[in-house]
Amino acid sequence: MNKTVDEVTIVGGGDVGLLTALSVRQMNPDVDVSVVDDFQQAVPQVGKSTYREIQGILHGALQLDEHEFIAEVKPIWKASVYFRDWCDRPSFQFPFDAPTKYPDANTPNAVEHFYHHYDELCDSPDHRTRGEQILAQGKSPWYYGSDGDLDKYDDVAYHLNTKRFNGFLRKHCRERGVSLVDDEITAVETDGSRINAIQGSQRRYEADLYVDATGFNRILRSEQDVEFRDFDFPLDAALNVRIDRSLSDVIPATVVETGDHGWFWQIDTYDNRDLGYVFSTEYTDEETAMTEFREFVAEVAPGDAGDALTDAETEVDRYDFESGYHDRAWVRNCLAIGNAQGFVEPLQSTALTANASLAVRFANLLSSHGRVVDDAIRTAFNESVRRAWESIHDFVGVHYRYASGETPFWREVRSTGVNSRTDRITDEFDRYGYDWTVDHEDGGDLSELDIFLLPDFYTVMRSMGATSDFYDENEFNVSDEVANERDGFYRNVERQVENDHLTVEEFYTGILNFTAPEDGVGA
């Protein structure tokens, strides 16, 4: 007889562990949920970037009040990923409202709209979506509507200060009856792949179901014999530092630039500017990477903050990671989530949001099956995890497929994201252009896409120089009516953001009356 889950013990009190606890508790209120970790350890300070689904997860599925969240976590709103310099290509954005670029499937003469976007609008500074204008004008998604009430444009994500975010999640775990146990795991008792108990420095813990949320430490997962699917991305390390920045200098997007052996990120949180360099140790050493990183910091630092790395190498954190995932997330009575289960790489900020989404899926599966765990429910969840990681891998891979860097690293990385599905996506764009509604008898690999879908691929690919034979060989005519409608639409968007939207500084210091952060510490 299959066992009903009444007790869940989560090992690891990072953001993913706490989000998993909240998810299980929200969907299964009768389950006893505990999170065991050494909560005295400092929360890692690397800035967290998310993508568009995060708001629905936090404020929808988990019912965490948005106003309370803003007051305590003080997020910065992210309207897009801004590729300020990708292998010397002209800058472009991947906005969260990219679908507004394309016509509805039922639009008459839709091909004119598609072709006009392909031929003229895709890289035009005069034709930006609302999200792209929020970045271009340095605004927040908050604005006053026609009724005078404060409103928000929802197609945005968050930049998070990890210390604030983790503290907020801990508070809500306690309020919702999740036990936060301050202890350090010293041993794991197993019977094959089954976890019998975990031993802490203070006591022994038993549960019906264990969750490994210990990151790359993989305290529970390492006790199980599970195959690891290794992605072939060569990036495996990151340098990270935070520098001072005022709210008036906030950039409402994750900014990406390429280096000789990887790429740089810029994530503005409420308190500071979080900067990083993701690089490949196969192609460079830390000293060379640090030299590149110093130059990048000096370029993007406001005022005198660029001196942050001059005499203070100890302020730079280093993180090492491996790209891939275990082919089964849920094995016997242990489920791995977060970096304990898998990781692709930081490009497109997939980790936190993808794992939060998987935590909700896991909790929903438990709830909808009456908390009865059998092979079928494990297989269903493992399939969800596989689809998520493979889709993220393919989406990240197209960024490298169209990269034009000429160092040994960039010449090598161009082939690492290529597989049968990315080849298929390229072929589809060649044959049908932006029309992603085409049905194919053998289209199973495309229907399996999760997290990022064909419009997301096409938006990035075209911005990086991908072409479509369908448009190039036919050269469709664009009527004045379509061109004028598009011009008017984008002009209205630009005016709306310019006239109505508040800056981040105006929102926090003017509307919420928060004190602007000083010396890297927020109010």
Side-chain angles (χ1 to χ4, degrees):
M1 185 174 177
N2 296 307
K3 188 173 181 61
T4 300
V5 173
D6 295 316
E7 293 179 293
V8 174
T9 295
I10 299 167
V11 182
D15 299 339
V16 173
L18 298 176
L19 286 166
T20 304
L22 288 169
S23 299
V24 173
R25 189 69 176 167
Q26 179 71 21
M27 316 304 172
N28 304 270
D30 294 330
V31 173
D32 291 330
V33 183
S34 300
V35 181
V36 182
D37 200 356
D38 181 359
F39 284 104
Q40 302 307 309
Q41 288 190 350
V43 176
Q45 287 297 293
V46 59
K48 287 285 181 74
S49 180
T50 59
Y51 60 82
R52 57 191 170 209
E53 279 75 19
I54 192 64
Q55 291 197 82
I57 294 168
L58 295 179
H59 312 311
L62 299 184
Q63 296 184 17
L64 297 169
D65 183 76
E66 183 179 11
H67 299 290
E68 179 187 3
F69 177 83
I70 292 170
E72 296 186 18
V73 180
K74 300 181 176 67
I76 295 297
W77 289 270
K78 168 187 175 181
S80 70
V81 180
Y82 177 36
F83 292 85
R84 186 160 54 195
D85 180 356
W86 188 254
C87 297
D88 296 324
R89 286 197 61 81
S91 61
F92 67 92
Q93 296 188 54
F94 173 64
F96 295 134
D97 56 0
T100 63
K101 293 173 176 284
Y102 309 115
D104 181 87
N106 298 317
T107 300
N109 299 318
V111 70
E112 292 184 46
H113 294 262
F114 282 130
Y115 181 74
H116 190 39
H117 177 69
Y118 174 87
D119 190 46
E120 292 190 32
L121 307 189
C122 65
D123 58 356
S124 168
D126 298 321
H127 299 89
R128 293 184 173 121
T129 69
R130 196 162 167 184
E132 290 172 317
Q133 285 292 353
I134 286 173
L135 168 63
Q137 299 185 38
K139 298 295 187 79
S140 80
W142 293 95
Y143 65 97
Y144 284 106
S146 57
D147 57 2
D149 291 338
L150 191 64
D151 205 347
K152 178 169 70 69
Y153 185 59
D154 283 331
D155 286 341
V156 293
Y158 289 135
H159 284 171
L160 303 169
N161 173 297
T162 50
K163 185 175 181 180
R164 293 185 195 278
F165 185 51
N166 194 269
F168 180 81
L169 296 178
R170 289 187 195 185
K171 184 190 82 168
H172 279 276
C173 279
R174 294 188 184 98
E175 290 178 353
R176 298 184 182 190
V178 175
S179 298
L180 301 184
V181 183
D182 192 1
D183 200 356
E184 183 179 0
I185 301 303
T186 58
V188 181
E189 301 174 20
T190 63
D191 177 10
S193 290
R194 179 178 177 79
I195 308 296
N196 289 332
I198 53 178
Q199 181 65 51
S201 59
Q202 298 182 25
R203 69 179 186 88
R204 186 172 179 268
Y205 304 90
E206 294 185 14
D208 300 321
L209 183 65
Y210 299 89
V211 176
D212 188 343
T214 61
F216 292 117
N217 292 325
R218 295 170 178 164
I219 291 174
L220 304 185
R221 179 42 45 102
S222 62
E223 300 292 330
Q224 298 180 301
D225 184 16
V226 186
E227 184 177 345
F228 188 79
R229 154 88 154 100
D230 186 23
F231 291 141
D232 51 3
F233 293 131
L235 296 127
D236 58 359
L239 302 174
N240 174 235
V241 74
R242 289 151 302 283
I243 62 176
D244 293 343
R245 185 229 64 241
S246 69
L247 285 180
S248 61
D249 290 320
V250 161
I251 295 179
T254 299
V255 183
V256 173
E257 295 186 19
T258 51
D260 289 340
H261 311 98
W263 56 272
F264 304 100
W265 81 68
Q266 175 179 320
I267 298 171
D268 282 354
T269 68
Y270 179 86
D271 304 283
N272 48 45
R273 175 161 290 171
D274 189 279
L275 302 169
Y277 184 25
V278 184
F279 65 96
S280 171
T281 58
E282 180 182 351
Y283 290 92
T284 190
D285 54 37
E286 183 170 345
E287 182 179 359
T288 304
M290 183 69 75
T291 299
E292 274 195 274
F293 190 37
R294 280 202 199 96
E295 293 172 354
F296 170 74
V297 172
E299 289 174 2
V300 302
D304 298 326
D307 299 331
L309 297 187
T310 304
D311 301 310
E313 283 192 26
T314 55
E315 294 183 11
V316 179
D317 298 317
R318 171 169 170 162
Y319 300 92
D320 294 282
F321 59 88
E322 58 181 334
S323 184
Y325 69 98
H326 294 94
D327 69 347
R328 290 177 295 157
W330 192 345
V331 178
R332 300 287 297 273
N333 64 337
C334 180
L335 179 145
I337 198 165
N339 293 340
Q341 159 56 20
F343 184 70
V344 181
E345 63 125 300
L347 191 63
Q348 286 290 352
S349 312
T350 55
L352 178 63
T353 313
N355 282 297
S357 177
L358 290 171
V360 171
R361 293 187 197 185
F362 162 55
N364 282 331
L365 272 173
L366 276 184
S367 174
S368 61
H369 290 80
R371 309 200 314 273
V372 174
V373 175
D374 56 17
D375 288 342
I377 190 174
R378 281 188 285 262
T379 299
F381 182 72
N382 290 341
E383 180 62 13
S384 291
V385 175
R386 183 195 66 80
R387 287 182 60 183
W389 289 130
E390 292 290 347
S391 295
I392 292 170
H393 166 269
D394 292 352
F395 186 58
V396 170
V398 300
H399 294 69
Y400 295 119
R401 181 175 188 146
Y402 293 99
S404 57
E406 289 304 325
T407 64
F409 163 79
W410 284 104
R411 287 196 294 269
E412 169 67 20
V413 80
R414 273 196 285 274
S415 65
T416 60
V418 177
N419 57 27
S420 60
R421 186 159 65 185
T422 53
D423 280 339
R424 176 68 180 276
I425 291 170
T426 301
D427 290 343
E428 295 294 291
F429 189 58
D430 248 347
R431 285 187 290 177
Y432 303 110
Y434 287 115
D435 183 4
W436 51 82
T437 64
V438 179
D439 259 339
H440 304 285
E441 186 176 349
D442 59 346
D445 53 349
L446 299 183
S447 65
E448 279 200 343
L449 286 171
D450 191 18
I451 309 293
F452 297 102
L453 305 178
L454 282 178
D456 301 315
F457 282 83
Y458 294 162
T459 299
V460 167
M461 288 163 53
R462 181 59 180 150
S463 297
M464 291 186 171
T467 58
S468 170
D469 286 345
F470 177 68
Y471 296 128
D472 292 340
E473 293 176 359
N474 289 287
E475 295 186 359
F476 296 97
N477 292 320
V478 178
S479 67
D480 290 342
E481 181 182 3
V482 168
N484 292 337
E485 186 278 326
R486 288 288 83 191
D487 287 346
F489 170 81
Y490 286 114
R491 280 197 303 272
N492 286 337
V493 168
E494 182 177 10
R495 283 195 296 265
Q496 183 178 23
V497 173
E498 181 180 9
N499 296 332
D500 299 341
H501 281 247
L502 302 166
T503 66
V504 171
E505 185 177 32
E506 288 169 339
F507 177 79
Y508 273 122
T509 64
I511 304 301
L512 297 188
N513 294 318
F514 288 171
T515 303
E518 297 178 0
D519 300 324
V521 178

